[in-house]
Amino acid sequence: MATEALTLRAWLLSSDPKSRRQAHFGQAYRRWLALRRNPLALVGLAIVVGLIVIAALAPWIAPYSPVLQDLDNRLLPPSALHWMGTDDLGRDILSRILWGARITLTVVALVAVIVAPVGLAVGVLAGYFGGWVDAALMRITDIFMAFPRLILALAFVAALGPGIENAVIAIAITSWPPYARMARAETLTVRQSDFIAAARLLGASPLRILSGHIVPLCLSSLIVRVTLDMAGIILTAAGLGFLGLGAQPPSPEWGAMISAGRRYILDQWWVAAMPGLAILIVSLGFNLLGDGLRDVFDPKQK
């Protein structure tokens, strides 16, 4: 078994890969080794993995129903029966936080799936073609970047109506411009490179050059930016929920839970503090992981 592990490690760390698959696996393994040397990044990775596990297992690990009311047990402090206390309707706060992880993870995943491809496409098209294409796309990007993200999201949600789906759309609409700027900058640095010129001489179409050469070079920066932006997405979603424009009651959304608990912040502090602590921990986890990934993908790192 040990011999097989050593053989696999030697195959992954080979300086002369025999196939593209070996090269890709070797690069991924080296990045994992670099990430493992950063303890804070591992803490962030553990928090993010924990969030995913909690969201997946919420129906089985939550001790109580997240929506069932019990007015006889309202506003109970943290205890052995209710580790994080109960809210003003007698619902167990721990159970609501565990179920709320599903909403948070869903919002983060949907926004990332929407904004990353849109921003990448706008950026590489503007950077590669230049001219009026670049001017038109970047002026649209500037218009979106001229407004604070939360204010613009509030405007879109007010127009679309409250709800978690509309909140995802509003956050996605307001979050893509930084990705477009980053992808454009990356494209401008490589579009005049020798290997791009060689691909043109061989008859490669612009679509082939963009998809096969430029987009893969932008993915590393895109992954890091997406991970670092997760905390901002969570805070924006929580802000919309706090204002009543996100997930609607009785959904256990963390921002809406803080909004419901703000009336009791002086005497029953746990009602608002516990979901706030959950937002803090998850946001910190994504930031720590993003910082670690930035160091791993930095070409200046040895």
Side-chain angles (χ1 to χ4, degrees):
M1 200 69 181
T3 305
E4 293 179 358
L6 290 174
T7 303
L8 177 60
R9 180 182 174 85
W11 182 78
L12 290 172
L13 296 178
S14 173
S15 59
D16 185 21
K18 305 302 181 185
S19 64
R20 182 176 297 181
R21 182 170 66 94
Q22 182 180 359
H24 288 326
F25 278 112
Q27 184 182 42
Y29 183 66
R30 288 184 177 89
R31 286 174 174 170
W32 162 247
L33 293 178
L35 184 68
R36 200 172 62 178
R37 290 193 291 268
N38 188 335
L40 291 179
L42 292 181
V43 171
L45 178 62
I47 293 174
V48 173
V49 172
L51 175 68
I52 297 173
V53 172
I54 288 173
L57 302 180
W60 295 276
I61 62 178
Y64 301 95
S65 169
V67 297
L68 187 62
Q69 302 178 15
D70 184 5
L71 297 180
D72 293 333
N73 292 320
R74 64 188 302 268
L75 299 176
L76 293 179
S79 63
L81 290 178
H82 302 280
W83 288 4
M84 292 186 176
T86 61
D87 64 6
D88 57 328
L89 297 176
R91 297 171 297 193
D92 182 65
I93 294 178
L94 174 60
S95 300
R96 289 179 62 77
I97 288 177
L98 295 178
W99 278 90
R102 285 191 158 193
I103 299 176
T104 299
L105 192 62
T106 300
V107 171
V108 168
L110 289 177
V111 172
V113 167
I114 295 172
V115 301
V118 171
L120 182 63
V122 171
V124 296
L125 289 175
Y128 182 78
F129 290 106
W132 68 267
V133 175
D134 183 22
L137 292 177
M138 286 302 100
R139 295 302 75 76
I140 296 174
T141 303
D142 291 340
I143 292 173
F144 279 91
M145 295 188 72
F147 298 92
R149 180 183 299 183
L150 181 58
I151 302 300
L152 194 57
L154 285 173
F156 279 112
V157 173
L160 297 173
I164 192 66
E165 297 85 0
N166 292 339
V168 169
I169 295 173
I171 297 172
I173 290 175
T174 60
S175 299
W176 64 267
Y179 300 91
R181 283 288 186 183
M182 180 199 67
R184 176 180 178 270
E186 295 271 353
T187 304
L188 288 175
T189 60
V190 300
R191 71 174 182 177
Q192 300 299 336
S193 301
D194 291 340
F195 68 93
I196 299 295
R200 290 197 192 98
L201 290 175
L202 291 174
S205 64
L207 180 61
R208 178 65 181 272
I209 294 174
L210 289 174
S211 62
H213 298 284
I214 295 179
V215 169
L217 292 175
C218 298
L219 288 180
S220 298
S221 301
L222 185 72
I223 293 171
V224 174
R225 182 64 191 245
V226 168
T227 308
L228 288 171
D229 275 358
M230 293 298 185
I233 294 171
I234 293 172
L235 293 175
T236 303
L240 294 177
F242 182 86
L243 296 173
L245 298 175
Q248 298 299 296
S251 298
E253 198 273 326
W254 293 345
M257 292 172 64
I258 296 175
S259 177
R262 73 184 189 277
R263 294 172 292 175
Y264 313 99
I265 192 66
L266 295 179
D267 298 321
Q268 289 83 26
W269 54 268
W270 57 87
V271 181
M274 295 305 178
L277 182 62
I279 294 175
L280 170 65
I281 292 174
V282 173
S283 300
L284 179 63
F286 277 113
N287 278 331
L288 293 176
L289 179 59
D291 285 338
L293 290 177
R294 181 174 55 191
D295 294 339
V296 169
F297 287 105
D298 187 355
K300 298 179 182 178
Q301 295 290 331
K302 294 182 180 180

